[in-house]
Amino acid sequence: MDKLNDKSLLKQHSYINGKWHSGDAKFDVINPATDEVLTQVTNAGVAEAELAVKAAKDALKAWSGKSANERAVLLRNWFNLLMQHQDDLGRILTLEQGKPLAEAKGEIAYGASFIEWFAEEGKRVYGDTIPAPSSDKRIIVIKQPVGVVASITPWNFPNAMIARKAAAALAAGCTFVGRPATQTPLSALAMAELAERAGIPAGVFNIVIGEDAKGIGKVLTQHPDVAKFTFTGSTNVGKQLIAQGATSVKKVSMELGGNAPFIVFNDADIDAAVEGAVLSKYRNAGQTCVCTNRILVQQRVAKEFTEKFTAAVAKLMTGNGLDDSVFIGPMISSSAVDNVDKLVQDSIKAGAKLELGGARVQVVDGNFYRPTILSQVTNDMPIAANEIFGPVSPIISFETEQDAINIANDTEYGLAAYFYARDIGTIWRVAEGLDYGMVGINEGLISNAAAPFGGVKQSGSGREGSKYGLDDYLEIKYLCMGGLN
Ligand code: SIN
């Protein structure tokens, strides 16, 4: 942290109503690459969450009353500041989350791109006029901000998951209370510091950080002044939060777990597929909801793909993300490493063949797992049936196009899927046959601000990013004007 150019980006307290709330109770923020304590952050709780909701409610009238253009100017200021401080923000992110510095800086640009994009899209919240069934009436539809938005976001994208939600909320005219993960609070607090410098008024963007996940979660999902709740995280936690929100019929959007298939057909460009699979699997040490979770390869090319993929993965450097040569950083915690290793070892016992890796990295402190490849996997093995959230690739081979679709869809999840093929008929049949919210076709990286991110089945509801993402923060109001004859 002493290498930050702007040391005032390092904040240690919740940001509520434009003020930093210090307190005696603290928790440690740990660097997962070294297990060292980076700093301590004030442990906020239920009282601070309630204060933040009140601040957001109080700020709502003035913020929603601004023109979309006025809000866009402030959002654009925020975007500019995030990009000006990309190096420092990237360093903070690497230190608390672990991903390599280049990837962390990429996340800052990715997060900021949502703010830039929604600043503009907020100007295009169009309504509608509808021909009325009788001549003395007119039907008009307007869209209005839902109100106070509360969010809970995970540690794997400490900047971008907040930005993706807050950008749409603020552009739509809503105010925002976010509870980031306690493993990675510093990126969120730096965003709050820059939101303030950008001129975003007190109460519009609030960050509450505390270890009482249940207590804070209850306020955010049940408070009568919260109109909408949005969550990114595991399917199990998402289900609990939906149930909590049901008591006051909150509008919810959920970006939950995934079990992404990555399908390689016989006619695929194998080198391109290898490159796509490496990026889609090993980005963020395999800790993203859209990471490839299962690689399905058609029999004729299975050997060639496995050999080329194994050779490419064997070259990836694992280590501290501050080291320029590193491609795979640490996992978030020691227990995360243990969980992944258990999936690997149980699957080997069930008949999978270890092609690469398959163990913790023992030579350094921190929470590192060797990039791992298993072949001869079947879809019922633990490594294929569960969301791995680590740097492990299970390879399943299949015979026909329909087999691939069946195996790919044989999961409760439906977030992202990928496939590589050249035949145009295969491309359309498979794209339409996959039960997923997002499909990468000859492409392993699909996330961007202009596209609708979200899943089907137990991977969630609602979309983030894109013109569809704004709708999640807007209510439709129907105006019926009568007595016109
Ligand atoms: C996630 O893992 O939830 C987000 C990944 C992305 O935005 O690409």
Side-chain angles (χ1 to χ4, degrees), residues 110 114 154 156-157 160-161 164 232-233 255-256 283-284 287-291 387 389 415 418 438 445-448 453 464:
Y110 176 49
F114 287 98
N156 62 342
F157 286 84
M161 293 304 98
R164 186 152 78 185
T232 296
E255 201 263 273
L256 306 177
R283 162 185 181 228
N284 203 11
Q287 302 172 112
T288 90
C289 305
V290 290
C291 266
E387 186 176 26
F389 239 64
L415 190 59
Y418 310 86
M438 299 175 278
L445 288 179
I446 55 175
S447 310
N448 62 73
F453 189 104
E464 296 191 324

Side-chain angles (χ1 to χ4, degrees), residues 53-356:
V53 172
K54 181 176 181 320
K57 176 79 181 169
D58 292 347
L60 184 63
K61 194 160 186 284
W63 183 250
S64 60
K66 283 188 189 298
S67 70
N69 211 35
E70 287 168 329
R71 289 195 293 267
V73 170
L74 299 177
L75 288 170
R76 159 84 42 189
N77 289 347
W78 195 18
F79 161 79
N80 286 336
L81 285 166
L82 288 160
M83 291 310 292
Q84 274 163 29
H85 293 280
Q86 187 181 15
D87 287 354
D88 279 349
L89 296 172
R91 173 167 282 272
I92 292 172
L93 205 157
T94 293
L95 286 168
E96 66 176 351
Q97 199 275 341
K99 68 181 65 172
L101 196 50
E103 200 178 331
K105 286 189 208 165
E107 179 180 336
I108 302 305
Y110 176 49
S113 75
F114 287 98
I115 297 172
E116 182 189 39
W117 200 89
F118 278 113
E120 294 308 313
E121 192 60 12
K123 298 174 190 169
R124 287 181 276 277
V125 177
Y126 300 129
D128 214 349
T129 57
I130 298 175
S134 59
S135 62
D136 66 333
K137 292 192 176 65
R138 298 290 182 274
I139 296 176
I140 298 147
V141 175
I142 60 170
K143 292 186 183 172
Q144 294 183 301
V146 293
V148 173
V149 171
S151 101
I152 295 184
T153 45
W155 49 262
N156 62 342
F157 286 84
N159 173 295
M161 293 304 98
I162 297 173
R164 186 152 78 185
K165 294 175 191 303
L170 267 54
C174 302
T175 53
F176 183 88
V177 178
R179 190 253 176 203
T182 45
Q183 292 95 327
T184 55
L186 305 177
S187 295
L189 295 175
M191 288 174 81
E193 165 69 16
L194 294 176
E196 181 171 280
R197 289 188 206 172
I200 293 181
V204 171
F205 180 78
N206 306 276
I207 293 289
V208 178
I209 298 187
E211 292 185 305
D212 181 6
K214 268 205 176 133
I216 297 173
K218 273 207 166 157
V219 175
L220 300 189
T221 51
Q222 296 188 335
H223 196 294
D225 287 340
V226 171
K228 178 192 163 79
F229 178 73
T230 167
F231 172 68
T232 296
S234 74
T235 295
N236 280 344
V237 175
K239 285 179 188 170
Q240 289 165 31
L241 295 172
I242 293 170
Q244 278 174 209
T247 57
S248 54
V249 196
K250 297 271 182 269
K251 202 173 162 78
V252 291
S253 51
M254 296 275 146
E255 201 263 273
L256 306 177
N259 183 350
F262 185 105
I263 311 171
V264 184
F265 287 98
N266 281 339
D267 67 341
D269 175 339
I270 300 297
D271 293 333
V274 165
E275 198 183 317
V278 167
L279 290 175
S280 146
K281 174 72 247 185
Y282 294 98
R283 162 185 181 228
N284 203 11
Q287 302 172 112
T288 90
C289 305
V290 290
C291 266
T292 288
N293 208 61
R294 298 167 288 160
I295 300 182
L296 278 52
V297 192
Q298 202 158 14
Q299 271 168 0
R300 184 155 60 74
V301 291
K303 187 166 177 291
E304 180 189 354
F305 176 86
T306 305
E307 281 172 8
K308 286 185 167 172
F309 183 59
T310 306
V313 175
K315 288 192 197 127
L316 304 178
M317 277 279 291
T318 302
N320 190 320
L322 293 178
D323 175 343
D324 280 347
S325 58
V326 161
F327 188 85
I328 303 182
M331 296 186 61
I332 192 67
S333 64
S334 184
S335 62
V337 178
D338 291 343
N339 291 342
V340 167
D341 192 48
K342 181 159 173 23
L343 292 176
V344 169
Q345 303 315 330
D346 287 352
S347 300
I348 292 173
K349 276 186 212 136
K353 179 177 168 218
L354 186 64
E355 301 279 350
L356 188 75

Side-chain angles (χ1 to χ4, degrees), residues 402-414:
Q402 194 55 50
D403 290 343
I405 295 173
N406 293 346
I407 298 168
N409 288 344
D410 183 17
T411 166
E412 70 204 19
Y413 296 109

